[in-house]
Amino acid sequence: VSFVAGFNNQVTQSFTAFGTHLVQFQKFEPRFHGPGGPPEEERNRRDLTVEDAWALKRLSKLVKAVSPERYMFGDPPVVKAGRREANSPLVFGGAPDYCEANVHFVDDGRFLSEADLNHVANVAVVGPDVVSVLWPLQDPIDQELTINGRTYRVIGVFEHQGTSFFGSSDNYIAIPITTFDEQFPEVKNSGGDTIHIATVPRRPEDFNALIEEETAILRARRGLKSNQENDFALMTSVGRLRQFQQITGTVAAAMIVIAGIALLVGGVGV
């Protein structure tokens, strides 16, 4: 039971690291899928797009930050600086609101700007783990690294966040989402969970209203009728945390029952 409690605490810390008011839209429902992947209905959904993200930012009256994000899941690209090679960092395409939406800020230098996106710039923001491997004794700002052979200039370093339930939060590389789409078009065109749109409200008390407002905006853009269900998924950090807590709560209850039975059996043996 103490193990389950410790695991539950770690999961709680991992999800609250994203902020308690995260509202994220994506293609697939936020649940664990078996070896067959998401069900057919979800696989057949239309992809969300970067344009959907910009529409939310333009039309929502309650949103504070909108962050379209594409992630290089699966086989990680090769990241090098000179003869040194990074330890399989997670490379993703981001936009200026990423830091605010994900509570993941820059400690040195700067994050991506609108100009970086507009000019499809070859710039990168790297995590502390990447710095420790590629430039252990140097200032990483303005250094160059390559991602699958393409050269990027380092403009910022993420703050240290340590390890969470999801792995190291310091082994990331962010590049402009426009540059990501140019170098890795296969992610955008994969037909999978190609983009996550992370958002947060201006005020915490607007959390539920933001969900309703943004859902209505996306439904209108996708031409859904009132009797049709959403053809996109919604994930909140609070909702995801509750799902995990229900699972760990069930496991804890089962372990208590098993422990009680063991005690009874032990008593009979005496």
mmCIF file with all atom_site columns, all heavy atoms in Angstrom, residues 138-151:
data_model
loop_
_atom_site.group_PDB
_atom_site.id
_atom_site.type_symbol
_atom_site.label_atom_id
_atom_site.label_alt_id
_atom_site.label_comp_id
_atom_site.label_asym_id
_atom_site.label_entity_id
_atom_site.label_seq_id
_atom_site.pdbx_PDB_ins_code
_atom_site.Cartn_x
_atom_site.Cartn_y
_atom_site.Cartn_z
_atom_site.occupancy
_atom_site.B_iso_or_equiv
_atom_site.pdbx_formal_charge
_atom_site.auth_seq_id
_atom_site.auth_comp_id
_atom_site.auth_asym_id
_atom_site.auth_atom_id
_atom_site.pdbx_PDB_model_num
ATOM 1   N N   . GLN A 1 138 ? 30.819 24.544 -21.532 1.00 0.00 ? 138 GLN A N   1
ATOM 2   C CA  . GLN A 1 138 ? 30.650 25.743 -22.344 1.00 0.00 ? 138 GLN A CA  1
ATOM 3   C C   . GLN A 1 138 ? 29.269 26.358 -22.150 1.00 0.00 ? 138 GLN A C   1
ATOM 4   O O   . GLN A 1 138 ? 28.328 25.674 -21.739 1.00 0.00 ? 138 GLN A O   1
ATOM 5   C CB  . GLN A 1 138 ? 30.827 25.409 -23.831 1.00 0.00 ? 138 GLN A CB  1
ATOM 6   C CG  . GLN A 1 138 ? 32.219 24.986 -24.238 1.00 0.00 ? 138 GLN A CG  1
ATOM 7   C CD  . GLN A 1 138 ? 32.260 24.610 -25.713 1.00 0.00 ? 138 GLN A CD  1
ATOM 8   O OE1 . GLN A 1 138 ? 31.867 23.515 -26.098 1.00 0.00 ? 138 GLN A OE1 1
ATOM 9   N NE2 . GLN A 1 138 ? 32.725 25.537 -26.539 1.00 0.00 ? 138 GLN A NE2 1
ATOM 10  N N   . ASP A 1 139 ? 29.168 27.643 -22.460 1.00 0.00 ? 139 ASP A N   1
ATOM 11  C CA  . ASP A 1 139 ? 27.872 28.302 -22.523 1.00 0.00 ? 139 ASP A CA  1
ATOM 12  C C   . ASP A 1 139 ? 27.182 27.837 -23.797 1.00 0.00 ? 139 ASP A C   1
ATOM 13  O O   . ASP A 1 139 ? 27.710 28.031 -24.900 1.00 0.00 ? 139 ASP A O   1
ATOM 14  C CB  . ASP A 1 139 ? 28.067 29.821 -22.538 1.00 0.00 ? 139 ASP A CB  1
ATOM 15  C CG  . ASP A 1 139 ? 26.748 30.584 -22.568 1.00 0.00 ? 139 ASP A CG  1
ATOM 16  O OD1 . ASP A 1 139 ? 25.686 29.946 -22.691 1.00 0.00 ? 139 ASP A OD1 1
ATOM 17  O OD2 . ASP A 1 139 ? 26.784 31.826 -22.480 1.00 0.00 ? 139 ASP A OD2 1
ATOM 18  N N   . PRO A 1 140 ? 26.005 27.220 -23.700 1.00 0.00 ? 140 PRO A N   1
ATOM 19  C CA  . PRO A 1 140 ? 25.366 26.674 -24.907 1.00 0.00 ? 140 PRO A CA  1
ATOM 20  C C   . PRO A 1 140 ? 24.739 27.726 -25.825 1.00 0.00 ? 140 PRO A C   1
ATOM 21  O O   . PRO A 1 140 ? 24.485 27.440 -26.997 1.00 0.00 ? 140 PRO A O   1
ATOM 22  C CB  . PRO A 1 140 ? 24.286 25.751 -24.344 1.00 0.00 ? 140 PRO A CB  1
ATOM 23  C CG  . PRO A 1 140 ? 23.962 26.352 -23.015 1.00 0.00 ? 140 PRO A CG  1
ATOM 24  C CD  . PRO A 1 140 ? 25.256 26.895 -22.481 1.00 0.00 ? 140 PRO A CD  1
ATOM 25  N N   . ILE A 1 141 ? 24.487 28.934 -25.300 1.00 0.00 ? 141 ILE A N   1
ATOM 26  C CA  . ILE A 1 141 ? 23.835 29.957 -26.113 1.00 0.00 ? 141 ILE A CA  1
ATOM 27  C C   . ILE A 1 141 ? 24.713 30.314 -27.319 1.00 0.00 ? 141 ILE A C   1
ATOM 28  O O   . ILE A 1 141 ? 25.913 30.556 -27.180 1.00 0.00 ? 141 ILE A O   1
ATOM 29  C CB  . ILE A 1 141 ? 23.536 31.222 -25.283 1.00 0.00 ? 141 ILE A CB  1
ATOM 30  C CG1 . ILE A 1 141 ? 22.648 30.869 -24.082 1.00 0.00 ? 141 ILE A CG1 1
ATOM 31  C CG2 . ILE A 1 141 ? 22.850 32.273 -26.150 1.00 0.00 ? 141 ILE A CG2 1
ATOM 32  C CD1 . ILE A 1 141 ? 21.304 30.269 -24.441 1.00 0.00 ? 141 ILE A CD1 1
ATOM 33  N N   . ASP A 1 142 ? 24.100 30.310 -28.486 1.00 0.00 ? 142 ASP A N   1
ATOM 34  C CA  . ASP A 1 142 ? 24.740 30.588 -29.777 1.00 0.00 ? 142 ASP A CA  1
ATOM 35  C C   . ASP A 1 142 ? 25.622 29.444 -30.275 1.00 0.00 ? 142 ASP A C   1
ATOM 36  O O   . ASP A 1 142 ? 26.272 29.578 -31.319 1.00 0.00 ? 142 ASP A O   1
ATOM 37  C CB  . ASP A 1 142 ? 25.551 31.890 -29.743 1.00 0.00 ? 142 ASP A CB  1
ATOM 38  C CG  . ASP A 1 142 ? 24.652 33.121 -29.777 1.00 0.00 ? 142 ASP A CG  1
ATOM 39  O OD1 . ASP A 1 142 ? 23.559 33.026 -30.369 1.00 0.00 ? 142 ASP A OD1 1
ATOM 40  O OD2 . ASP A 1 142 ? 25.038 34.154 -29.211 1.00 0.00 ? 142 ASP A OD2 1
ATOM 41  N N   . GLN A 1 143 ? 25.638 28.330 -29.548 1.00 0.00 ? 143 GLN A N   1
ATOM 42  C CA  . GLN A 1 143 ? 26.320 27.144 -30.068 1.00 0.00 ? 143 GLN A CA  1
ATOM 43  C C   . GLN A 1 143 ? 25.459 26.513 -31.158 1.00 0.00 ? 143 GLN A C   1
ATOM 44  O O   . GLN A 1 143 ? 24.251 26.767 -31.252 1.00 0.00 ? 143 GLN A O   1
ATOM 45  C CB  . GLN A 1 143 ? 26.564 26.128 -28.949 1.00 0.00 ? 143 GLN A CB  1
ATOM 46  C CG  . GLN A 1 143 ? 27.453 26.626 -27.830 1.00 0.00 ? 143 GLN A CG  1
ATOM 47  C CD  . GLN A 1 143 ? 28.915 26.674 -28.232 1.00 0.00 ? 143 GLN A CD  1
ATOM 48  O OE1 . GLN A 1 143 ? 29.310 26.169 -29.283 1.00 0.00 ? 143 GLN A OE1 1
ATOM 49  N NE2 . GLN A 1 143 ? 29.742 27.295 -27.392 1.00 0.00 ? 143 GLN A NE2 1
ATOM 50  N N   . GLU A 1 144 ? 26.053 25.659 -31.969 1.00 0.00 ? 144 GLU A N   1
ATOM 51  C CA  . GLU A 1 144 ? 25.320 24.974 -33.020 1.00 0.00 ? 144 GLU A CA  1
ATOM 52  C C   . GLU A 1 144 ? 25.211 23.482 -32.721 1.00 0.00 ? 144 GLU A C   1
ATOM 53  O O   . GLU A 1 144 ? 26.121 22.879 -32.140 1.00 0.00 ? 144 GLU A O   1
ATOM 54  C CB  . GLU A 1 144 ? 26.007 25.169 -34.379 1.00 0.00 ? 144 GLU A CB  1
ATOM 55  C CG  . GLU A 1 144 ? 25.909 26.591 -34.909 1.00 0.00 ? 144 GLU A CG  1
ATOM 56  C CD  . GLU A 1 144 ? 26.443 26.724 -36.327 1.00 0.00 ? 144 GLU A CD  1
ATOM 57  O OE1 . GLU A 1 144 ? 27.188 25.805 -36.774 1.00 0.00 ? 144 GLU A OE1 1
ATOM 58  O OE2 . GLU A 1 144 ? 26.132 27.724 -36.995 1.00 0.00 ? 144 GLU A OE2 1
ATOM 59  N N   . LEU A 1 145 ? 24.069 22.916 -33.088 1.00 0.00 ? 145 LEU A N   1
ATOM 60  C CA  . LEU A 1 145 ? 23.866 21.475 -33.024 1.00 0.00 ? 145 LEU A CA  1
ATOM 61  C C   . LEU A 1 145 ? 23.191 21.049 -34.323 1.00 0.00 ? 145 LEU A C   1
ATOM 62  O O   . LEU A 1 145 ? 22.652 21.888 -35.054 1.00 0.00 ? 145 LEU A O   1
ATOM 63  C CB  . LEU A 1 145 ? 23.032 21.071 -31.807 1.00 0.00 ? 145 LEU A CB  1
ATOM 64  C CG  . LEU A 1 145 ? 21.624 21.642 -31.633 1.00 0.00 ? 145 LEU A CG  1
ATOM 65  C CD1 . LEU A 1 145 ? 20.590 20.950 -32.508 1.00 0.00 ? 145 LEU A CD1 1
ATOM 66  C CD2 . LEU A 1 145 ? 21.185 21.541 -30.179 1.00 0.00 ? 145 LEU A CD2 1
ATOM 67  N N   . THR A 1 146 ? 23.240 19.771 -34.592 1.00 0.00 ? 146 THR A N   1
ATOM 68  C CA  . THR A 1 146 ? 22.546 19.261 -35.776 1.00 0.00 ? 146 THR A CA  1
ATOM 69  C C   . THR A 1 146 ? 21.474 18.264 -35.343 1.00 0.00 ? 146 THR A C   1
ATOM 70  O O   . THR A 1 146 ? 21.661 17.495 -34.390 1.00 0.00 ? 146 THR A O   1
ATOM 71  C CB  . THR A 1 146 ? 23.508 18.565 -36.759 1.00 0.00 ? 146 THR A CB  1
ATOM 72  O OG1 . THR A 1 146 ? 24.153 17.450 -36.090 1.00 0.00 ? 146 THR A OG1 1
ATOM 73  C CG2 . THR A 1 146 ? 24.551 19.534 -37.270 1.00 0.00 ? 146 THR A CG2 1
ATOM 74  N N   . ILE A 1 147 ? 20.342 18.307 -36.022 1.00 0.00 ? 147 ILE A N   1
ATOM 75  C CA  . ILE A 1 147 ? 19.255 17.347 -35.828 1.00 0.00 ? 147 ILE A CA  1
ATOM 76  C C   . ILE A 1 147 ? 19.073 16.621 -37.151 1.00 0.00 ? 147 ILE A C   1
ATOM 77  O O   . ILE A 1 147 ? 18.658 17.225 -38.145 1.00 0.00 ? 147 ILE A O   1
ATOM 78  C CB  . ILE A 1 147 ? 17.953 18.050 -35.408 1.00 0.00 ? 147 ILE A CB  1
ATOM 79  C CG1 . ILE A 1 147 ? 18.162 18.847 -34.110 1.00 0.00 ? 147 ILE A CG1 1
ATOM 80  C CG2 . ILE A 1 147 ? 16.828 17.032 -35.226 1.00 0.00 ? 147 ILE A CG2 1
ATOM 81  C CD1 . ILE A 1 147 ? 16.939 19.639 -33.670 1.00 0.00 ? 147 ILE A CD1 1
ATOM 82  N N   . ASN A 1 148 ? 19.466 15.358 -37.169 1.00 0.00 ? 148 ASN A N   1
ATOM 83  C CA  . ASN A 1 148 ? 19.489 14.575 -38.424 1.00 0.00 ? 148 ASN A CA  1
ATOM 84  C C   . ASN A 1 148 ? 20.231 15.329 -39.531 1.00 0.00 ? 148 ASN A C   1
ATOM 85  O O   . ASN A 1 148 ? 19.801 15.344 -40.692 1.00 0.00 ? 148 ASN A O   1
ATOM 86  C CB  . ASN A 1 148 ? 18.068 14.237 -38.874 1.00 0.00 ? 148 ASN A CB  1
ATOM 87  C CG  . ASN A 1 148 ? 17.500 13.035 -38.132 1.00 0.00 ? 148 ASN A CG  1
ATOM 88  O OD1 . ASN A 1 148 ? 18.134 12.497 -37.229 1.00 0.00 ? 148 ASN A OD1 1
ATOM 89  N ND2 . ASN A 1 148 ? 16.297 12.626 -38.501 1.00 0.00 ? 148 ASN A ND2 1
ATOM 90  N N   . GLY A 1 149 ? 21.330 15.968 -39.149 1.00 0.00 ? 149 GLY A N   1
ATOM 91  C CA  . GLY A 1 149 ? 22.184 16.636 -40.126 1.00 0.00 ? 149 GLY A CA  1
ATOM 92  C C   . GLY A 1 149 ? 21.848 18.086 -40.394 1.00 0.00 ? 149 GLY A C   1
ATOM 93  O O   . GLY A 1 149 ? 22.652 18.801 -41.016 1.00 0.00 ? 149 GLY A O   1
ATOM 94  N N   . ARG A 1 150 ? 20.703 18.564 -39.953 1.00 0.00 ? 150 ARG A N   1
ATOM 95  C CA  . ARG A 1 150 ? 20.318 19.966 -40.177 1.00 0.00 ? 150 ARG A CA  1
ATOM 96  C C   . ARG A 1 150 ? 20.821 20.817 -39.015 1.00 0.00 ? 150 ARG A C   1
ATOM 97  O O   . ARG A 1 150 ? 20.626 20.465 -37.855 1.00 0.00 ? 150 ARG A O   1
ATOM 98  C CB  . ARG A 1 150 ? 18.809 20.088 -40.313 1.00 0.00 ? 150 ARG A CB  1
ATOM 99  C CG  . ARG A 1 150 ? 18.307 21.516 -40.569 1.00 0.00 ? 150 ARG A CG  1
ATOM 100 C CD  . ARG A 1 150 ? 16.880 21.483 -41.046 1.00 0.00 ? 150 ARG A CD  1
ATOM 101 N NE  . ARG A 1 150 ? 16.305 22.820 -41.194 1.00 0.00 ? 150 ARG A NE  1
ATOM 102 C CZ  . ARG A 1 150 ? 15.188 23.073 -41.889 1.00 0.00 ? 150 ARG A CZ  1
ATOM 103 N NH1 . ARG A 1 150 ? 14.537 22.079 -42.484 1.00 0.00 ? 150 ARG A NH1 1
ATOM 104 N NH2 . ARG A 1 150 ? 14.715 24.294 -41.983 1.00 0.00 ? 150 ARG A NH2 1
ATOM 105 N N   . THR A 1 151 ? 21.454 21.939 -39.325 1.00 0.00 ? 151 THR A N   1
ATOM 106 C CA  . THR A 1 151 ? 22.101 22.758 -38.307 1.00 0.00 ? 151 THR A CA  1
ATOM 107 C C   . THR A 1 151 ? 21.126 23.758 -37.681 1.00 0.00 ? 151 THR A C   1
ATOM 108 O O   . THR A 1 151 ? 20.370 24.438 -38.379 1.00 0.00 ? 151 THR A O   1
ATOM 109 C CB  . THR A 1 151 ? 23.289 23.525 -38.909 1.00 0.00 ? 151 THR A CB  1
ATOM 110 O OG1 . THR A 1 151 ? 24.227 22.581 -39.457 1.00 0.00 ? 151 THR A OG1 1
ATOM 111 C CG2 . THR A 1 151 ? 23.995 24.359 -37.846 1.00 0.00 ? 151 THR A CG2 1
#
